[in-house]
Amino acid sequence: MTLIDKTFAPADFEQRWYAHWETSGAFRPARPDAKPYTIIIPPPNVTGSLHLGHALDNTLQDVLIRYHRLKGLDARWVVGTDHAGIATQMVVERQLAESSQGTTRQAMGRDAFVDTVWEWKAVSGGQITQQLRRLGASCDWANERFTMDDGFNKAVTRVFVQLYNEGLLYRDKRLVNWDPKFKTAISDLEVEYREIDGHLWHFRYPLEDGSGFIAIATTRPETILGDGAVAVNPDDPKMAHYVGKRCRLPLVDRLIPIITDPYVEADFGSGAVKITAAHDFNDFEVYKRHPEAAIPLINLMNPDATMSDACPPDYRGLTREAARAKVIADFDALGLLDKVEPHKHQVPYGDRSGVVIEPYLTDQWYVNAAELAKPALAAVRSGETQFVPKTWEKTYFNWMENIQPWCVSRQLWWGHRIPAWYGRDPKAWTEESRISGTSSRHEDTYFVALTEFDARRQAARAYAKSIDQIVVLDSYDMVWDRSLRGIDPEGTEFLFRDEDVLDTWFSSALWPFATLGWPVENAVTPAKAGAHRANDGAGDDGVEMGSRLRGGDDNKGANDAAEPILKPGDPGYDLARHYPGDVLVTGFDIIFFWVARMMMQGEHFMDGVAPFKTVYCHGLVRDAKGAKMSKSKGNTVDPLVLVDKYGADALRFTLTAMESQGRDIKLDEKRVEGYRNFATKLWNAARFCQSNGIAGGGALPEATHAVNRWIIGEVAATARALDTAMAAFRFDTFADTIYQFVWNRFCDWYLELTKPLLAEGADAATAAETRAVTGWALDRILVMLHPVMPFLTEELWHKLGSREHDLIVAEWPDADAIPTDAAASADIDWLIGLVTEVRSARNEINVPVGTKLGFSVEGAGDLTDRRLAANREALERLARIVPMAGAPLDRGRVQLVYGDATYSLPLEGVIDLAAERTRLTKSAEAAEKEAASLAGRLASPGFVEKAKPEAIDKARADHAARSAEAERLRAALARLG
RNA sequence: GGGCGCGUAGCUCAGCGGUAGAGCACUGCCUUCACACGGCAGGGGCCACAGGUUCAAACCCUGUCGCGCCCACCA
């Protein structure tokens, strides 16, 4: 217990407290006998740095974690980082290019490059986790994970192999979204469509029989070189005479059929569509629908989107843009370019590379997402997992119901290498297939295995060899190395491992269980826990895996005893106790990328138990004007700059207060400043208390004084309101509630009203009681504010008393256990109202603040008389009025009507009669208007018949009160003369 | 082309069936012994528009007009 400094300087103590919490183990789950509460962090990119989106996401999580920790639950915030395949590889490659050597990953070779990425991760990988600490995030750092640590790698491989063995993961040759910059496949989700002002070119293809031409229209002339057919709508009479004929593809001189397909719209373009099966998703579907037409798949491009050797010689090696220009020019030269029209259309771009995506025919690994989606959909439909706000469920359903196969292989080096080994296959192992790089490798023989040894064992069986005769080569290329082939051409079979890695989201999808030690042998299966949970019914969160794990000693149910007893540290304990997570907090923008995939994998690998009970989706953080923050726009705000300037608590409070469901956050620095002021306010209030001999840590005494009984009741009401807000994930309400209580109740009224009780010469017993109650209330404030402002509250907690434990593990107030006194509350509310009325009247009539006025009362009932007597001192000090002996004066007075009485405040000299008349008239009219409205309601037959009885009673009472008030105001006006 | 969301005080947003609210900004007064990062008081709103349901609508329904986002194969 030390003196509180005069100035509030958060930088003085924030980092000190964080270090203390972390080293003391406060972030670790330490209550094995309590119900667990688990949040799994959305893992930030390992090499990233904190932006406001992270700040929001993690503040909300920390509020939840700290609140539930205070509630006595065994809180655990599982933390770690993501290797972020394409993003990280991109950064390192750029650094290599910019470095003094100016090298590329290709020049370095795979192993050296991957080593470099690991080195870079070692250097910059701790940045974001340190930044999360600055924010105050109470993560369980002792068990920090990484998506490429040993355990996680094991999980990823296990999932891949199992899905493959179950037929849910397969290799397929089809069109993918190909990024020519990174030379890798990407998923549908990584493509963003931009509308561009393009052109629609109309070309003519001569008919084989010389009877004329058929016109086609296209936005992509360069793909003409790969056309395998022309299609028209079957019901288009204008086109009927073409059907069944063939035309000659100019420039290539290939005969191609004219076919019908309903996909063609008769009234668009020329009414005929060129079919380029290997370069257009629609055309590929046409190809599959028309095997009889024998449409060829011609791969026109190299992986970098230059034109391939499948093109006529003049085109080979050209960029796609150059090839387009040349095709147009060549058609024009032949007189076959009909026209060009401007045409707005959508063009796919890679979300990371920013280049135009090419539909490209390759072999890739796919996950049967439609199958995995079924239980994931059911989990949300049944309410096992709930989205908050609920509106996002529709988005989830819509996407999951129309889900496409998920391409999970990436032609990158940074990531989880695909656990598949190819053997040699007579069909595929030709010089030709090697050169094109686009062979039908899906027809190869391959072995999917957990380990290389297992792959060799499978190969040995397949080739009828001994395992020693199976040699794994480092790469595909080595197979063609003559010296290697010479090793033992007779007896040896070669395998080489798939060169590709997995989509980052493939591993992210396992985050909720792989972080908890999955796969674990001999573990408790959560399936049982899930079944129990389902039976318990919604709303009963009393039975959890945690309670079961300690052997049913809480007597929640007889079946508990049947469950295996696991202790902390046992294999499988973490998984059984912390899966599924209670809440996932994340941005709505990654529902598809991540949430949906976690739901699918969680359902599949955790025996049908969804990974979370609640998915809380928040909005995006935008700048003060509502623009999306981006580095290129230069409108980003560094959260740490705000932390330095205003303190982490102020930033946290701002983000919490502004988080209302279903809306993006427009962050204005003024708000942060305002909440810093709030922190200062509390700081000063605590300093004031301390200087008055008030300390924390004491028990709540039996209070006799009304103002003390009142504040106790206010604490209870606040705690209750906070509980309600948190249960509904209303972060804004939570912040507002504690803000209003601290500032507008505790500081503005309670501390002011109790000043005389603590003053020299005051009654000793009352002073002691008041000190105890104030100390108790201030302690409750610190606890209730702690989830949002952890640093400030912990600092004050220790400054205000010597404590048995830190605030972070204190006990949240139980609203129901706090005594409340309705009469005392009504008394103080009455006093506050009267003081406010008097101040308002004085102000409007321009009575100097310092002037003390006498006052007389008419019409006061017993209750009012008693209250006036009891609060004589407060009225004198706060309203600056003192009771006046004798009959009220008739002239020169200010009158106000409050409750059942009319108060007159005589003024020396002349008062501004006009101003007073205006004031009273305004009040009278307001009361009359309201009385009239209430009267109208009471007079309408529908209201009396249909409204709730309470509503009717309240309307009657209000009407009576307001009518009386209006009457007395009119009387006061009349007396004014 | 579908779907979702939003239009409430100058600004940012709560409220979502029973007398229009908060923070900031603004105005006046106050350096009163916790706090000027403060205190007290105040001004300011046909709750986008038009219909409808209801005893009662900012709130529910329909439509219109603006703004934003997501999904979708018109070459």
Side-chain angles (χ1 to χ4, degrees):
Chain A
M1 175 138 97
T2 48
L3 227 53
I4 298 172
D5 293 340
K6 188 160 168 50
T7 53
F8 163 61
D12 291 350
F13 53 81
E14 289 191 348
Q15 302 204 42
R16 174 164 49 82
W17 280 119
Y18 196 90
H20 171 77
W21 288 328
E22 190 174 354
T23 53
S24 70
F27 302 158
R28 300 249 50 227
R31 298 164 178 163
D33 291 341
K35 206 181 103 180
Y37 181 83
T38 310
I39 292 181
I40 309 274
I41 201 171
N45 290 357
V46 64
T47 56
S49 65
L50 196 78
H51 57 244
L52 273 170
H54 293 121
L56 170 66
D57 192 54
N58 290 292
T59 294
L60 300 181
Q61 289 175 75
D62 200 42
V63 168
L64 289 168
I65 283 284
R66 285 180 186 269
Y67 170 82
H68 286 95
R69 192 185 284 126
L70 292 168
K71 279 285 212 178
L73 304 195
D74 196 24
R76 176 159 177 208
W77 189 357
V78 179
V79 71
T81 51
D82 194 290
H83 69 281
I86 197 163
T88 305
Q89 176 161 330
M90 213 168 90
V91 171
V92 175
E93 281 196 70
R94 191 166 56 225
Q95 285 191 339
L96 286 175
E98 288 166 2
S99 69
S100 49
Q101 302 96 320
T103 186
T104 65
R105 69 177 163 105
Q106 287 82 2
M108 296 176 78
R110 183 171 191 142
D111 290 348
F113 177 76
V114 171
D115 286 347
T116 303
V117 182
W118 277 108
E119 283 164 25
W120 198 61
K121 185 225 169 220
V123 173
S124 70
Q127 190 190 341
I128 196 158
T129 54
Q130 289 306 322
Q131 290 172 326
L132 284 171
R133 287 173 167 92
R134 287 290 312 280
L135 194 65
S138 59
C139 306
D140 182 13
W141 298 109
N143 282 299
E144 185 179 344
R145 298 298 302 271
F146 177 53
T147 51
M148 279 173 68
D149 64 30
D150 289 344
F152 222 98
N153 291 341
K154 191 173 156 195
V156 169
T157 308
R158 176 79 153 252
V159 165
F160 188 97
V161 173
Q162 186 176 327
L163 287 176
Y164 173 78
N165 289 336
E166 291 168 341
L168 292 167
L169 185 151
Y170 53 91
R171 198 159 163 76
D172 196 9
K173 185 190 198 66
R174 46 184 286 167
L175 289 185
V176 291
N177 297 294
W178 183 264
D179 188 316
K181 181 171 173 189
F182 295 127
K183 299 189 202 57
T184 179
I186 59 177
S187 78
D188 298 348
L189 289 175
E190 291 163 288
V191 177
E192 60 178 36
Y193 287 87
R194 302 182 197 163
E195 185 167 279
I196 63 144
D197 292 317
H199 301 279
L200 191 59
W201 285 272
H202 291 248
F203 298 113
R204 275 181 294 155
Y205 295 176
L207 296 172
E208 180 190 21
D209 60 12
S211 64
F213 300 88
I214 184 166
I216 59 96
T218 182
T219 55
R220 301 207 54 200
E222 68 276 17
T223 64
I224 279 176
L225 304 172
D227 282 1
V230 170
V232 299
N233 188 289
D235 302 322
D236 184 357
K238 298 192 302 294
M239 294 290 165
H241 66 283
Y242 290 120
V243 176
K245 293 186 175 177
R246 293 199 295 179
C247 59
R248 189 166 293 279
L249 187 63
L251 312 183
V252 188
D253 200 30
R254 180 165 59 233
L255 278 173
I256 57 175
I258 299 170
I259 62 174
T260 60
D261 193 281
Y263 141 69
V264 182
E265 301 214 2
D267 51 4
F268 183 84
S270 64
V273 181
K274 64 194 251 347
I275 301 300
T276 319
H279 288 278
D280 184 283
F281 288 101
N282 292 313
D283 294 1
F284 189 69
E285 295 304 311
V286 173
Y287 152 84
K288 288 199 288 193
R289 282 197 291 270
H290 294 272
E292 79 291 346
I295 300 169
L297 288 169
I298 302 166
N299 200 330
L300 294 171
M301 292 183 197
N302 299 312
D304 64 354
T306 56
M307 305 311 286
S308 74
D309 293 350
C311 300
D314 290 359
Y315 289 87
R316 291 174 195 168
L318 294 180
T319 64
R320 49 189 168 170
E321 294 80 12
R324 174 179 300 183
K326 184 168 165 54
V327 166
I328 295 165
D330 290 352
F331 264 89
D332 199 18
L334 293 169
L336 296 174
L337 170 60
D338 267 2
K339 60 175 175 177
V340 189
E341 49 184 348
H343 180 60
K344 275 191 206 281
H345 59 116
Q346 304 274 320
V347 175
Y349 283 81
D351 65 352
R352 293 207 176 264
S353 67
V355 303
V356 176
I357 292 305
E358 202 63 48
Y360 198 54
L361 190 63
T362 57
D363 296 283
Q364 303 286 348
W365 291 95
Y366 292 88
V367 166
N368 182 345
E371 193 58 35
L372 290 177
K374 288 176 190 168
L377 271 165
V380 177
R381 289 221 178 84
S382 71
E384 181 190 356
T385 299
Q386 296 187 324
F387 278 79
V388 178
K390 204 171 170 58
T391 174
W392 292 112
E393 288 183 359
K394 285 180 214 145
T395 307
Y396 175 86
F397 288 144
N398 185 51
W399 190 68
M400 290 291 252
E401 283 161 359
N402 299 293
I403 199 163
Q404 298 300 306
W406 174 17
C407 175
V408 294
S409 42
R410 296 288 181 277
Q411 287 64 54
L412 303 171
W413 286 351
W414 178 242
H416 300 96
R417 197 155 169 187
I418 289 172
W421 284 262
Y422 298 87
R424 78 176 171 187
D425 181 302
K427 275 184 291 182
W429 286 69
T430 61
E431 254 334 289
E432 192 187 343
S433 68
R434 166 183 147 57
I435 289 165
S436 77
T438 55
S439 68
S440 298
R441 274 170 28 190
H442 69 289
E443 292 177 28
D444 293 354
T445 305
Y446 52 83
F447 308 98
V448 171
L450 289 171
T451 61
E452 183 179 297
F453 182 80
D454 187 37
R456 288 169 65 209
R457 196 164 50 195
Q458 289 184 37
R461 204 175 305 128
Y463 294 123
K465 305 270 183 186
S466 78
I467 195 157
D468 298 335
Q469 290 174 298
I470 308 295
V471 173
V472 173
L473 301 174
D474 283 350
S475 78
Y476 185 72
D477 286 342
M478 290 178 71
V479 178
W480 303 97
D481 187 314
R482 291 192 173 279
S483 60
L484 264 178
R485 282 213 288 179
I487 294 174
D488 185 358
E490 300 307 314
T492 305
E493 285 291 343
F494 296 113
L495 294 182
F496 65 91
R497 185 167 182 176
D498 195 312
E499 304 246 13
D500 296 343
V501 300
L502 286 161
D503 181 7
T504 298
W505 299 106
F506 186 90
S507 48
S508 308
L510 319 181
W511 190 246
F513 51 92
T515 46
L516 295 171
W518 187 91
V520 186
E521 310 306 330
N522 308 316
V524 173
T525 67
K528 290 181 180 174
H532 283 298
R533 192 159 51 79
N535 292 342
D536 290 337
D540 178 6
D541 50 6
V543 178
E544 292 291 343
M545 275 179 277
S547 52
R548 200 164 301 114
L549 287 166
R550 59 187 147 122
D553 57 341
D554 63 346
N555 301 315
K556 282 287 183 185
N559 52 359
D560 286 359
E563 295 291 332
I565 299 167
L566 284 180
K567 298 183 299 298
D570 287 349
Y573 173 83
D574 276 358
L575 190 62
R577 185 159 170 82
H578 296 289
Y579 187 97
D582 288 85
V583 189
L584 173 74
V585 179
T586 192
F588 65 82
D589 51 326
I590 55 172
I591 291 175
F592 302 148
F593 276 109
W594 193 46
V595 180
R597 271 96 178 247
M598 284 190 286
M599 291 293 292
M600 293 192 277
Q601 300 289 42
E603 284 285 338
H604 193 72
F605 287 93
M606 298 302 287
D607 299 310
V609 179
F612 331 97
K613 296 166 197 163
T614 301
V615 175
Y616 183 85
C617 298
H618 58 250
L620 269 34
V621 183
R622 298 170 179 277
D623 72 10
K625 294 186 192 113
K628 202 168 171 174
M629 289 193 186
S630 75
K631 281 177 195 149
S632 54
K633 274 190 221 155
N635 64 344
T636 52
V637 177
D638 182 349
L640 294 183
V641 169
L642 294 174
V643 168
D644 289 340
K645 206 165 162 189
Y646 303 105
D649 287 331
L651 176 61
R652 292 169 59 108
F653 202 101
T654 307
L655 294 168
T656 307
M658 296 190 74
E659 173 55 23
S660 51
Q661 292 177 4
R663 230 186 230 265
D664 286 348
I665 290 180
K666 291 179 197 163
L667 190 76
D668 186 344
E669 193 172 323
K670 298 288 285 182
R671 286 295 285 264
V672 188
E673 190 186 332
Y675 290 122
R676 187 273 320 268
N677 295 351
F678 171 67
T680 307
K681 182 77 180 179
L682 177 61
W683 181 269
N684 282 307
R687 199 158 63 88
F688 168 77
C689 289
Q690 191 179 50
S691 71
N692 277 281
I694 290 158
L700 177 62
E702 187 72 31
T704 55
H705 199 283
V707 73
N708 287 332
R709 294 172 76 85
W710 168 75
I711 198 68
I712 292 165
E714 292 291 307
V715 167
T718 301
R720 192 169 287 119
L722 292 173
D723 285 336
T724 305
M726 197 49 74
F729 294 95
R730 287 309 302 250
F731 293 96
D732 53 349
T733 307
F734 188 92
D736 285 348
T737 299
I738 189 68
Y739 182 100
Q740 299 294 341
F741 175 64
V742 170
W743 202 315
N744 301 131
R745 303 264 104 184
F746 185 76
C747 291
D748 286 352
W749 291 105
Y750 181 69
L751 292 184
E752 293 303 328
L753 287 169
T754 53
K755 275 176 182 173
L757 305 181
L758 300 170
E760 235 174 295
D763 175 69
T766 307
E769 172 191 307
T770 302
R771 283 198 182 85
V773 171
T774 307
W776 174 86
L778 190 51
D779 272 359
R780 290 329 114 205
I781 284 173
L782 296 178
V783 175
M784 294 190 293
L785 182 57
H786 181 262
V788 193
M789 291 189 149
F791 294 112
L792 162 71
T793 51
E794 185 77 81
E795 174 74 4
L796 291 176
W797 175 261
H798 288 280
K799 293 261 190 195
L800 284 165
S802 41
R803 310 284 185 166
E804 288 172 13
H805 53 74
D806 294 331
L807 178 60
I808 189 174
V809 290
E811 198 180 329
W812 185 264
D814 176 358
D816 294 334
I818 297 171
T820 53
D821 178 350
S825 291
D827 287 350
I828 302 301
D829 287 343
W830 170 89
L831 173 63
I832 289 170
L834 180 57
V835 169
T836 305
E837 288 285 337
V838 174
R839 282 170 169 172
S840 178
R842 292 175 56 115
N843 240 297
E844 283 183 45
I845 232 68
N846 291 318
V847 178
V849 176
T851 308
K852 233 174 241 185
L853 301 178
F855 77 96
S856 58
V857 191
E858 293 168 89
D862 290 347
L863 180 60
T864 300
D865 279 339
R866 192 172 53 70
R867 282 169 167 172
L868 282 168
N871 294 293
R872 197 188 158 109
E873 186 284 330
L875 288 169
E876 178 174 353
R877 196 165 44 84
L878 301 178
R880 303 197 71 76
I881 55 172
V882 288
M884 199 170 55
L889 298 173
D890 279 341
R891 309 197 75 74
R893 62 186 183 181
V894 175
Q895 296 174 93
L896 60 94
V897 170
Y898 178 70
D900 59 354
T902 303
Y903 300 76
S904 299
L905 315 177
L907 284 173
E908 293 298 326
V910 186
I911 67 160
D912 186 340
L913 269 182
E916 175 63 357
R917 194 176 293 117
T918 306
R919 189 183 69 83
L920 285 173
T921 307
K922 218 169 120 187
S923 301
E925 281 169 354
E928 279 158 2
K929 188 182 159 203
E930 203 183 313
S933 150
L934 288 161
R937 194 188 304 171
L938 287 163
S940 93
F943 179 72
V944 187
E945 285 161 25
K946 297 172 194 169
K948 287 182 216 150
E950 310 92 82
I952 296 170
D953 290 347
K954 186 176 184 312
R956 287 212 174 102
D958 286 353
H959 178 250
R962 299 301 268 158
S963 303
E965 195 182 316
E967 228 169 88
R968 281 179 285 126
L969 280 161
R970 285 293 173 194
L973 257 174
R975 278 183 299 192
L976 205 59

